[in-house]
Amino acid sequence: MACALRGWIVLIILFGAVSTATAETKRVLLLHSFGPQFAPWVFVASEFREGLTRQSPDKIDLYEASLQGARFQQLGEQGALVDYLGALFASEKLDLIVTMGAPAAFFIQKYRARLFPSTPLVIGGGDRRALDYGTLTSNEAPVVVENNFNLWVENILEVVPDTNHVVWVIGNSPLETFWVEQLRSALQTFADRVSFEWLNDLPFEKMLTRLSELPPHSAVFYVSIFVDAAGVPQDSERMLPKLRTATNAPIFSHLDNYLGQGIVGGPMISTTELGRRIAEAAARILTGEVPANIKMPPLVLGAPQYDWRELQRWKIGEGRLPAGSVVRFREPGMWQQY
């Protein structure tokens, strides 16, 4: 009996050693559009990393790179990064590419045949309208969002009904210039009710000055500022408090991570959910699923969320908020405190 038991123990140890030796390591390239520190991608990427590690049965060897130049240039000027990635993975088998934001996806699609002709791709986080679905191959899985520009403005008019002027805070990178044109076109339906002003052609300091002198009945919508008109990269976590201090009108936005940094709120995209979805798609592909079979609907704006402190600051009654709204950061009243 003892001899047989020793035999089983030896077999178990040998089996474990063989399993460990044959366990695969999956190499994944995470390509950022503007740099890993830029919001909202810093939040999405964090959730993606944790989710992929949690969901993948294999060890993940994660490489990260950034376009960087997408803040200032068009994709035709990214030759240095092409050479770098070509050299980095010349002798390494890459199992998956995941992009964060539209510019990174465009870059990979542009240089795919040269760099990674057979590597699966998860197109993560861009807006559906920036993606040409007709060019997708069976080796690509889009995990995208769909913002509703009209709903952004409708929310402002519902919460602050006397608004007649909306100022758009947005940067001057090639991608942001594209979205300015998309917004201008989509918001023509409000032309008889609201005038719009665009700050994409101003340096950040002049944006602050302009926000301090807005006319009555104005509202501000913060989209993004990856780089301002002076060519200076910006960081939303540092910018939003400065915008809040400068403005004489309430600020609205569309990403849940901006809540608590000076915005009133509105219908929100969940960066946590977006990162989770991208991780799920990546894990499914790494375990053998064909990318084209992963059909995730675009992530849309969720329930409206508002910062109680900003509601108080701008004297916005909670009775004006849409049904189903969530009010966060509520300070306890005297009864709750004592």
Side-chain angles (χ1 to χ4, degrees), residues 47-122:
E47 186 66 28
F48 163 76
R49 294 185 198 97
E50 293 180 12
L52 181 60
T53 301
R54 186 170 57 248
Q55 296 181 51
S56 175
D58 299 306
K59 181 181 177 182
I60 300 296
D61 190 2
L62 186 65
Y63 301 81
E64 297 196 37
S66 302
L67 291 186
Q68 297 291 348
R71 289 178 277 159
F72 316 104
Q73 307 162 347
Q74 300 298 337
L75 292 181
E77 304 173 44
Q78 298 287 341
L81 181 60
V82 175
D83 294 338
Y84 167 73
L85 292 176
L88 182 63
F89 296 106
S91 59
E92 297 284 348
K93 175 183 176 291
L94 195 59
D95 296 287
L96 179 67
I97 305 166
V98 178
T99 57
M100 287 284 165
F106 299 153
F107 173 87
I108 291 296
Q109 289 177 318
K110 181 179 178 68
Y111 295 105
R112 186 179 189 77
R114 175 176 167 183
L115 292 173
F116 313 107
S118 60
T119 306
L121 170 64
V122 174

Side-chain angles (χ1 to χ4, degrees), residues 34 44 46 59 179 184 186 254 269 282:
F34 300 100
V44 180
S46 177
K59 181 181 177 182
W179 284 118
R184 285 182 185 273
H254 66 299
I269 289 286

Side-chain angles (χ1 to χ4, degrees), residues 175-186:
L175 179 64
E176 289 165 317
T177 300
F178 166 80
W179 284 118
V180 168
E181 296 307 313
Q182 295 293 310
L183 283 161
R184 285 182 185 273
S185 176

